[in-house]
Amino acid sequence: MSDCRVWLITGASRGLGRAFTEAALAGGERVVAVARSVGPLEELAGKYPDHLVPLPLDVADRQGVFAGVERAAAAFGRLDVVVNNAGGMLYGMVEEATEEQIRAHMDVNFFGAVWVAQAVVPHLRAHGGGRLLQVTSMGSGGGMATVGFYCAGKAALDSVSEALAMEVEGFGIKVTIVQMGGYDTGLFTAGTTNTEPRAQYQPLRTEMEAMWGDAVAPEPETAAPAIMELARLPDPPRRLIVGSQSFDHVLEMDQAQADLYRSWEHLSRIAPG
């Protein structure tokens, strides 16, 4: 057991977090699995009684996060790999979202991830390093109608994580921004807050729903091998797109963005800055 690494995984009760938890346990690792409700983890804890510690925690509660990370580090004596995965979806147009909905969404998807990062860095530094995987999205490179706040939260986390990676690299802490593709995680069902629809947006809403389509997304466990391999790399990348189709789509979006910049280059170059 002394050779096992200790993982801290947030949002571990379902979706990608659950898949990563199961994969780490199957590989002989030890896991502190964080979720608002740990009931769904009871069966898994019974299967791995010496390797899994469920930890009830709301990542939006900064004080609770710091106290929870202390308990997590004490559970197995250290932390080696942290997967900052907890999140939710705010679905609707920008104008439709209430202040309460927006703040609650960012409290989890952005601030919650920041609180976890702030709390774990001292533990990783004290043990000479470790891995911090910041789970964002392939959609964090730009906004899209109906999921603008989700994209915004992930984009903000991308930027902060880039800065954090530079700040902690000297301590032996490797930060990777994990830009996930689309998986059947239940994010658009159990993990979604919906705005109150406005009639003016119904044509666009219908168009977006048709664009999303009804294609079946891959199961979350199909993403786990990439995460397990990433966590084993001695020199991991700063960013990683997870998903073959998503990789191709991101490259297409990047090229389209570059073409757009080029088409207005003459206007950009009017200013000397």
Side-chain angles (χ1 to χ4, degrees):
M1 182 176 289
S2 59
D3 294 332
C4 298
R5 291 176 301 176
V6 179
W7 292 57
L8 171 66
I9 302 175
T10 67
S13 63
R14 62 176 177 84
L16 291 167
R18 175 65 179 245
F20 301 157
T21 298
E22 292 180 351
L25 291 170
E29 309 277 53
R30 290 170 286 178
V31 179
V32 179
V34 172
R36 288 187 186 182
S37 173
V38 297
L41 294 167
E42 289 181 0
E43 183 179 351
L44 199 59
K47 184 178 179 181
Y48 297 97
D50 298 324
H51 281 246
L52 176 63
V53 173
L55 179 64
L57 182 64
D58 180 358
V59 297
D61 176 5
R62 187 175 189 271
Q63 185 175 353
V65 166
F66 275 77
V69 167
E70 291 298 321
R71 296 196 300 274
F76 295 114
R78 68 178 193 274
L79 297 174
D80 299 304
V81 182
V82 178
V83 184
N84 217 346
N85 167 75
M89 172 64 71
L90 175 54
Y91 184 79
M93 307 299 176
V94 170
E95 183 186 358
E96 295 171 346
T98 67
E99 178 181 356
E100 181 182 13
Q101 288 175 327
I102 297 167
R103 290 186 182 277
H105 180 76
M106 299 300 281
D107 275 346
V108 174
N109 281 32
F110 176 66
F111 289 110
V114 171
W115 306 153
V116 171
Q118 288 182 328
V120 301
V121 162
H123 290 278
L124 298 177
R125 180 172 57 230
H127 288 281
R131 303 297 174 84
L132 176 55
L133 309 185
Q134 301 281 75
V135 177
T136 67
S137 170
M138 61 165 284
S140 61
M144 183 172 290
T146 69
V147 292
F149 289 107
Y150 178 79
C151 295
K154 294 301 186 181
L157 184 56
D158 272 8
S159 294
V160 166
S161 298
E162 285 278 9
L164 179 64
M166 295 175 64
E167 294 164 0
V168 301
E169 189 172 18
F171 307 135
I173 302 172
K174 304 290 187 179
V175 177
T176 297
I177 299 165
V178 184
Q179 296 177 308
M180 300 300 305
Y183 291 89
D184 186 14
T185 64
L187 183 63
F188 279 92
T189 53
T192 295
T193 298
N194 292 287
T195 62
E196 185 67 32
R198 292 176 181 248
Q200 297 95 324
Y201 291 107
Q202 189 54 49
L204 178 57
R205 193 180 301 273
T206 300
E207 179 182 336
M208 296 303 297
E209 289 173 353
M211 186 186 73
W212 297 128
D214 55 2
V216 178
E219 292 297 320
E221 55 264 28
T222 62
I227 300 304
M228 298 303 109
E229 179 63 22
L230 173 63
R232 285 190 290 265
L233 294 176
D235 188 20
R238 185 71 58 84
R239 288 175 179 260
L240 181 73
I241 300 167
V242 177
S244 180
Q245 295 181 26
S246 300
F247 182 89
D248 293 337
H249 188 51
V250 169
L251 290 188
E252 290 175 4
M253 290 191 297
D254 286 348
Q255 184 58 56
Q257 188 65 54
D259 291 343
L260 179 62
Y261 281 135
R262 286 294 184 188
S263 69
W264 290 97
E265 181 179 359
H266 64 285
L267 183 56
S268 297
R269 294 191 182 279
I270 290 176

